[in-house]
Amino acid sequence: MKIGVFDSGLGGLVITKAFVEAMPEYDYIYYGDTMHLPYGEKTQEQILFYTIDAIKYLISQNCGLIIIACNTATSIALRYLQQRFIPTFAPDIKVLGVVIPTVEEAVLDNASRIGVLATPATVSSHIYQAELHKLKPKLEVFEFAAPKLVPAIEANDFASAKICAQEYAACFEDIDSLILGCTHYPLLKSEFRRILPKKTKVVSQDELMGVKLKDYLRRHIEIDISLSRGGKLQVLVSRMDEHYAKVASTLFPNIKIEEAK
Ligand code: DGL
């Protein structure tokens, strides 16, 4: 069994890179649903539908552990998948998301005001606020949607993305931490760190997910022993576009992206 990683586009590749760096021995399949990107602007029904489809696809590709490396899909679909879909459709498969590990990391420092930047769908779900308050009820949480960032990053237009980052960073006042609540945003983490005051910690999922998954596998031996160790990574997308190869090669030189069949 392989480790499957799913995102709406190529943003989740930064999380995959974190996994591969922390645990190079496993076999990974990355699946980006580029045909339906961006998820952040879609309805809950659409996000749920596409996410279930992606999970079914990764299961058909022999993935035993699947990480939804997409905050939007995690916020809308993870609970349904874990409680309803997986127990009936594929009870041996484990599906995890990115929100809980991020929230656990964000509360480690003694922050009292936490900002969250995410897609419109993630912000409307208020998943970050709810999960942060479960751990620390008195936290002040400020959630803002950044609809312009994903399209700019997917188009590899970092000049526009940096201008948008400045605009969005200005929404937050006097926060102790900023959660980059979208897997596309780690590609702009240096920009956010440059713009925000020094005291504001930027919580970037590429810096925490590797350690979190490693720790999860250490605690779940029954899953760990079912995973194959061939050190391979396959990157698949639902719709191919020539610039995807360029984006992916900045993270994984020599990787060949293929259209999923
Ligand atoms: N990368 C996804 C996330 O983490 C969102 C991108 C999109 O809007 O499709 O939320």
Side-chain angles (χ1 to χ4, degrees):
M1 299 282 242
K2 299 168 192 167
I3 299 179
V5 185
F6 161 62
D7 188 16
S8 54
L10 293 186
L13 275 181
V14 284
I15 309 298
T16 310
K17 191 171 167 69
F19 293 153
V20 172
E21 279 176 1
M23 297 161 291
E25 65 276 27
Y26 295 100
D27 292 314
Y28 298 87
I29 298 190
Y30 181 85
Y31 176 60
D33 186 12
T34 49
M35 192 184 291
H36 301 113
L37 179 96
Y39 278 22
E41 318 277 315
K42 300 217 160 26
T43 64
Q44 294 200 359
E45 290 73 20
Q46 287 171 314
I47 295 166
L48 186 61
F49 182 83
Y50 294 138
T51 305
I52 291 174
D53 240 26
I55 299 302
K56 278 187 183 163
Y57 177 70
L58 285 170
I59 292 171
S60 77
Q61 299 302 299
N62 206 23
C63 292
L65 171 65
I66 298 170
I67 293 94
I68 302 185
C70 174
N71 292 262
T72 308
T74 298
S75 64
I76 306 299
L78 184 65
R79 183 180 295 188
Y80 175 83
L81 284 164
Q82 289 178 333
Q83 295 181 356
R84 310 283 289 277
F85 178 77
I86 290 294
T88 47
F89 185 83
D92 297 334
I93 309 295
K94 200 83 196 157
V95 180
L96 307 172
V98 281
V99 172
I100 303 278
T102 307
V103 163
E104 284 170 358
E105 181 71 22
V107 300
L108 284 183
D109 296 321
N110 259 344
S112 57
R113 290 168 60 88
I114 296 191
V116 180
L117 197 65
T119 65
T122 302
V123 167
S124 316
S125 78
H126 296 298
I127 189 169
Y128 271 101
Q129 188 177 52
E131 294 300 337
L132 283 164
H133 280 156
K134 275 186 203 161
L135 298 181
K136 287 203 174 169
K138 290 201 175 121
L139 271 179
E140 286 185 87
V141 182
F142 307 91
E143 299 171 296
F144 282 102
K148 293 190 236 165
L149 282 184
V150 170
I153 294 169
E154 282 286 326
N156 222 5
D157 180 0
F158 281 88
S160 306
K162 283 181 183 177
I163 295 170
C164 299
Q166 297 211 1
E167 197 184 300
Y168 292 127
C171 299
F172 299 97
E173 246 177 72
D174 196 29
I175 47 170
D176 303 308
S177 300
L178 175 65
I179 293 176
L180 300 182
C182 171
T183 48
H184 284 69
Y185 305 168
L187 293 169
L188 288 170
K189 66 182 176 185
S190 322
E191 193 58 16
F192 281 106
R193 285 184 176 139
R194 195 184 64 74
I195 304 164
L196 289 162
K198 284 274 168 299
K199 71 151 200 158
T200 306
K201 180 181 164 185
V202 174
V203 180
S204 190
Q205 292 173 326
D206 61 320
E207 294 170 1
L208 61 99
M209 284 303 296
V211 178
K212 290 285 187 186
L213 186 61
K214 198 170 182 172
D215 181 54
Y216 178 86
L217 288 174
R218 193 182 46 76
R219 288 181 289 110
H220 292 86
I221 301 290
E222 72 292 357
I223 298 170
D224 192 44
I225 54 170
S226 73
L227 298 172
S228 58
R229 284 149 164 91
K232 285 206 200 98
L233 166 68
Q234 240 183 309
V235 178
L236 304 169
V237 289
S238 52
R239 189 181 59 208
M240 197 57 188
D241 186 311
E242 55 190 45
H243 86 266
Y244 292 150
K246 212 157 76 193
V247 175
S249 70
T250 59
L251 293 164
F252 296 102
N254 309 324
I255 199 87
K256 190 166 161 265
I257 298 201
E258 287 165 295
E259 206 162 83
K261 291 192 187 78

